[in-house]
Structure formats: structure tokens, C-alpha cells
Amino acid sequence: MRAFLVTRLQARKLPRWALLLLCGLYVLPGFIGRDPWRVDDAAGFGIALTMARGGPFDWLVPNIAGMWALHDGGPLPFVFAALIAKLFAFAAPLHQSAMLASATGLALTLIAFWYASYALSRRPGLLPPDPLGAGASRTDFGRAIADSGLLVLLACLGLITRMHETTAAAGQVGLVTMFLFGAAWSLDRPRRGAVIVALAIAASVATRGLAPAIAMLLAWLALPLISRPFRLVCRSTFTVSLPLAVVAGAAWPLALAGASPESREYLAQWLAWNAESTVWLPTTQTLVYVARTMPWYYWPVWPLALWAIGRWRGKLDLPAIALPLATLACLAIPAIFARNANEAELLPLVPPLAMLAAVGLPTLGRGIVSLIDWFAVTVYTLLGVAVWAYWIAFNTGYPPRMAYRASMFAPEFVPDWIFLELVLGVLATIAWLLLVRWRVSRQRPVIWRAVVLSAGGLVFTWFLLMSLWLSAFDARNTYRDIGLGMREHIAGSDTCVETHGLGRAERASIYYFAEPRLDPPGETCGWLLIQDEGPLAFTEPAPVPDATLAWSGKRRDRIDERFRLYRRAEPR
């Protein structure tokens, strides 16, 4: 590749207060002041809630109030959420405590990513030679690359929403980051790094199944073949990491096999799901989904990662290139070969992509940097204007057409207190304008300058949405009213509730807000809850034999959904 020089000024670190503030504004909004939201977030919370309220079986087999055939993941992220929820049950509602666990996991993900990038980029080979003595030190260079990589990670469009949910997919992103951290650390501390790698691989088995665990294991075994520094420390790979990964990874399946007939049945379904979740050849549906989703989902990470691979193509054996590239290649296999394409398969690719993108930033030309900056300024400023305009119309009714469109987002919702939302939105907007002003002023070039507006713009937009529109989002996506409406009728009743047609999110939310006993095995119930969806919700319901309709309800924004609660004359 063409020679370049990184000076001390270019390798200046991002001020710690600014980096911490940006990370805090990224992590906390979206977890504070809301209920579990449909669909995946409420379902994940339901698993953690069942663990917190249940017994040993519930901790071993992920289920939502007895709906235990949830074989598309594992219990590990929800065990962590349930433990935090029980620990802080005295101080906060269970759903807020579970979200605290998710926020903690996201914060740990960002920390592990920064230290992994720092450990790789300060090693010899990545920093260009400095015959004149004007270049940055390896420590300063590594710190600047780590700051830049973290900004790239924060700027990824597809990551921000999914990482603010209580799901196994979000947990898997954290495990991929821990894998990268352990592998990077193994170059200096082989045994300790190998242990972290093994635990990340093993934990993936109980999080998202065998596919990501095998992908990371293959990447770990391939590193000594493509990178000499990893080859020099590969002894721990075979003496520590591989045996520990196999033994620890088998712990949860073996516990299922030795527990009860129900857990063994779940294990069989889980193994079948692992076998059926991938195909021998990518399907047309998956390829179309990936091609349509990746350009915006990984923006602006993928162009920078491609640039880095092209500029460093002659030194792909460097650990800072080899580790994220091998991880990316191996994790891309289950994503492309997935039978049912979805965002959960794309999420684990973000950390290695961001790590690759960071090492390409020092070689970017001034024209490309300006293009990235002006794109970020234009897009996020326009988004901010749109968020403000629709919020003003939503609260004032003017202009009428825009107000009508905004009201359709959360029908029948009337905001009762907007002063705090207004103050937070104004502060966020001022901060964004100051950041833009700083960036367009005459500033000395630094490595992380190219992505600071992309990261700041996404965080600004997210914070603006989660301050101005949080109450409307909450009203649109929560099942609180359904659960409380049902609770008014079953309160004080000793009998259980039989359910028909309830989805995961609905079951979890009703189990939380109404606190019923749902579908206990071998017990007849005096209540019957039915969920109608689609055309059934528009038809006159057929009478239920020996039962009286006690309550009916629906969410504000769903006319194609209806809940019916019946009181049976006699439990049967």
C-alpha cells in the first residue's frame, strides 16, 4: 500500500468527557421511562420475567409463562436480566431492572470493543514507519484508532434500535465483541485471552445456538494460519481455548439432557432448530434480503471497511486486519446461509466491520472525509427537523395535515406533560449544532474527525426521538392497557386463565401487567382469554359454550387485533 504518515496531532485522543458523554447518550435513551415493547423486546422480557417468578425449570428452559417451545436461542441473556431484576426488585419495577441489565450489557460491549481495538492497533506493523521522528507513538495511535472504531460502531444505523431490546440477538453482539477482545488480548497474555475467547464461544451456544459459536471457533482456529503473531501464541488455542469452549459450550445442553422429560423434549427441538436454521445453498429470499438490507443497515461502516481492506490488502496478516476479517468472514456464513433471513443474523457482523473500518480511517483523503461529513450533516439535520416538525404538529395541531399524520402514529394518545421533553430536545439540538459548528470550523486534522459527525448525528437523532416521542412510542407499542384492563376482572380470583392464540409479546405483557396463572398443566381454568388477529378481529365473535364475555379490548393503533376474556360458568 502507499506510504502515509500519522503525526502526533493526527493521533490526538478524543476528549474522554466527550467520548463518555456520547456513549452515555447512546446507551441510556431507549431504556428509561418505557414499558416492554412489542415484539421481540416484550418476548425477551417475558422469558426473564418467567425466570424471576419461576423455578429451576424456567431458568433452564426459556419460556414465557409456560410457553416453553422457544427453541430459537438460549437462556443466557435472560438469566442475566432475571438476576438483575431480582437484585433490584426492591428499587424499581421488574421491567426497568431487566432493561438495566440490557443497558449494562450494551455498555460492556462498547468497553470491550474499545479495548480490543486499542490492543490490536498499538501493535507493531500497523503504524507506518517514521524516519523523521514526527510521527505519533504506538500508544497514541492505538488510542486514536480505538476512539475512531468506537465512533464507527456508534454510527452504524442498524445497530442502535436492536441493541436497545432485551433479546438474544443483542446479547450475541456482546459475545462477538468479547471474542474479539479475548483474541486481541491473547497476543500479550495468551492463556487469559484464550479463556475469554473460549467463554465467549461457549456462551454463544446458550445465546444464539450452534451457528455463531461454530463460526467464532473456526475464526479462532484460522487465525494462526493467516497471521504470524497469532501463530506464535497458538499453543493456548489447543491446550486451553478449544477444550474449555467444548466443555463449557456443552454444559447447558447436557443439563437439559439430564433434567426432565420436558427439558429433553426442548433439547430435541433446539437441536432440530440448529440443524434446520441453515441450508446447503443460500436461498433466493435470503440473498435478496441481504442485498436489500445491507447497504443501509451497515451504513456508514461497510464503505469504510471495504476501503480499509483495499488499502491494507498487502498486509492482511497484521492482527488488526486478520482478526476482524476472519471473524467477519466466518460470521457471514451463517448469515448468508440462514434459512429465514432476519436482522438477528446480520447484527453479529457489525463489531468486526467497525474494527476494520477504523484501521482505514488514517488513509482517507480529505475529499472522502468531507463527503462523509456533509452527508452526515445533511441527513441528520433533516431528520432532526422532521422529528421536531411532526412533534410540534402533534402537540399543537398545526399544520393540520402534518398533525393528522402524526396523530395516526399513536391514535387517541394525548400527551399530558411535555415540558421535560421540550427541554431535552432543545438541549440535544443545541449540542448537535455546536458539534456541526466545531466540525466545519478550521480544525487540525485528527483520525477520528471523519466519523464524529456520523456518530454524533445518529446519537442526536436517537436522543431526540427518545425524548420528544418516547411517550407516543410507548403508547403505541405497550400492552399495559390490555394487561391492566384484564387485571381489573380477574383480580381476587383464584382460578387460572386458559389462552387461545396469544403471541409471545402479548403473553409476556399480560403475564406481567395482569399477573395471572396462564395455562397451568393439568388444571381446569375458570377464565378463557382469546386473541383475534387479522380478519377475525373484524367479525362478530362466535359464542363460547358455557362462558360469558367479561371484557374485550384492543390496543389503540391496532384495529386488526382484539382480546376477549370469558368467565366460564364452571371450571371444566
Side-chain angles (χ1 to χ4, degrees):
M1 62 175 293
R2 189 173 60 185
F4 67 97
L5 177 66
V6 177
T7 65
R8 296 187 184 94
L9 291 176
Q10 289 175 311
R12 284 183 302 160
K13 68 179 181 180
L14 184 66
R16 297 298 96 178
W17 67 266
L19 187 61
L20 292 175
L21 177 62
L22 198 64
C23 290
L25 295 177
Y26 184 92
V27 171
L28 294 179
F31 286 126
I32 299 175
R34 70 171 178 88
D35 294 332
W37 285 351
R38 58 181 178 100
V39 173
D40 294 335
D41 181 56
F45 168 70
I47 299 175
L49 175 65
T50 304
M51 291 177 178
R53 289 180 176 176
F57 176 84
D58 300 307
W59 291 82
L60 191 61
V61 175
N63 71 94
I64 302 174
M67 181 194 285
W68 59 268
L70 307 176
H71 48 74
D72 53 350
L76 189 59
F78 313 110
V79 167
F80 179 61
L83 289 173
I84 297 296
K86 289 179 71 69
L87 183 62
F88 290 94
F90 69 95
L94 280 175
H95 73 280
Q96 287 292 342
S97 299
M99 290 177 190
L100 173 63
S102 299
T104 303
L106 178 54
L108 292 175
T109 298
L110 300 181
I111 293 171
F113 181 88
W114 191 94
Y115 278 101
S117 299
Y118 176 67
L120 291 173
S121 53
R122 68 175 180 174
R123 293 188 59 81
L126 194 64
L127 182 66
D130 177 27
L132 301 178
S137 66
R138 284 194 300 171
T139 299
D140 291 340
F141 179 75
R143 190 164 46 206
I145 293 295
D147 290 348
S148 303
L150 189 55
L151 291 177
V152 172
L153 189 70
L154 298 181
C156 183
L157 282 175
L159 192 67
I160 189 166
T161 303
R162 297 305 175 191
M163 291 303 291
H164 287 82
E165 296 177 338
T166 306
T167 61
Q172 186 59 49
V173 175
L175 293 177
V176 170
T177 308
M178 291 302 298
F179 169 82
L180 294 170
F181 170 70
W185 203 18
S186 70
L187 294 170
D188 297 317
R189 298 173 178 85
R191 295 181 66 86
R192 295 181 183 179
V195 169
I196 295 176
V197 166
L199 293 179
I201 294 173
S204 297
V205 175
T207 300
R208 281 288 297 167
L210 296 175
I214 293 174
M216 289 192 292
L217 181 61
L218 291 176
W220 181 234
L221 296 176
L223 284 172
L225 302 177
I226 61 178
S227 177
R228 186 174 181 273
F230 282 104
R231 190 157 53 246
L232 296 177
V233 297
C234 69
R235 181 178 178 181
S236 297
T237 300
F238 300 99
T239 61
V240 177
S241 190
L242 186 58
L244 181 59
V246 172
V247 172
W252 176 58
L254 289 176
L256 289 172
S260 64
E262 291 81 6
S263 64
R264 287 191 288 272
E265 183 182 350
Y266 175 85
L267 175 61
Q269 294 184 2
W270 181 79
L271 291 173
W273 169 75
N274 278 277
E276 297 172 359
S277 60
T278 57
V279 293
W280 289 105
L281 292 175
T283 63
T284 303
Q285 178 185 2
T286 300
L287 293 177
V288 171
Y289 174 82
V290 170
R292 185 178 66 246
T293 306
M294 283 181 60
W296 68 265
Y297 196 82
Y298 294 133
W299 182 266
V301 185
W302 68 266
L304 296 174
L306 286 178
W307 172 272
I309 294 173
R311 290 304 304 266
W312 291 95
R313 61 185 179 274
K315 295 185 177 182
L316 296 181
D317 60 329
L318 291 176
I321 310 296
L323 173 58
L325 192 59
T327 307
L328 176 65
C330 291
L331 287 174
I333 296 174
I336 295 175
F337 284 78
R339 185 177 296 274
N340 298 313
N342 54 67
E343 292 183 33
E345 306 294 341
L346 300 179
L347 275 175
L349 277 66
V350 176
L353 268 174
M355 197 171 286
L356 274 174
V359 298
L361 291 179
T363 66
L364 287 178
R366 183 176 299 178
I368 298 178
V369 172
S370 298
L371 179 63
I372 295 173
D373 280 343
W374 285 113
F375 180 85
V377 170
T378 302
V379 169
Y380 291 117
T381 300
L382 290 177
L383 285 176
V385 170
V387 171
W388 269 113
Y390 275 97
W391 182 81
I392 292 172
F394 183 60
N395 286 277
T396 65
Y398 185 84
R401 181 173 296 181
M402 187 177 290
Y404 173 76
R405 292 175 180 174
S407 66
M408 289 298 98
F409 178 79
E412 302 177 17
F413 171 74
V414 179
D416 55 355
W417 179 251
I418 64 173
F419 179 73
L420 180 60
E421 299 172 358
L422 180 63
V423 171
L424 292 175
V426 169
L427 291 177
T429 304
I430 293 174
W432 169 243
L433 295 176
L434 291 175
L435 180 64
V436 172
R437 180 179 179 276
W438 172 86
R439 180 61 188 87
V440 299
S441 63
R442 297 177 62 88
Q443 297 288 336
R444 294 175 179 176
V446 286
I447 294 175
W448 43 264
R449 185 186 62 170
V451 289
V452 69
L453 282 181
S454 297
L458 185 59
V459 171
F460 156 68
T461 306
W462 175 251
F463 186 86
L464 202 60
L465 283 171
M466 291 297 103
S467 55
L468 296 181
W469 286 94
L470 180 61
S471 55
F473 279 141
D474 201 37
R476 177 183 175 86
N477 291 289
T478 182
Y479 285 93
R480 176 184 287 271
D481 291 343
I482 298 297
L484 295 181
M486 176 180 164
R487 183 175 183 172
E488 291 180 1
H489 291 80
I490 67 171
S493 176
D494 295 331
T495 185
C496 57
V497 178
E498 181 183 344
T499 63
H500 286 176
L502 252 65
R504 295 183 180 187
E506 295 84 354
R507 187 180 186 88
S509 298
I510 288 173
Y511 181 56
Y512 179 53
F513 291 114
E515 300 187 39
R517 291 189 298 116
L518 297 177
D519 303 311
E523 186 175 342
T524 56
C525 296
W527 295 96
L528 173 64
L529 178 64
I530 301 175
Q531 180 181 358
D532 300 321
E533 286 190 301
L536 284 176
F538 298 97
T539 61
E540 185 70 21
V544 177
D546 301 323
T548 304
L549 182 65
W551 169 82
S552 178
K554 66 180 182 65
R555 288 191 299 116
R556 296 168 177 167
D557 67 315
R558 291 290 299 271
I559 61 174
D560 59 342
E561 178 185 75
R562 179 178 59 195
F563 295 87
R564 293 179 283 142
L565 179 66
Y566 289 88
R567 175 67 173 177
R568 284 181 171 141
E570 293 181 3
R572 55 190 176 89

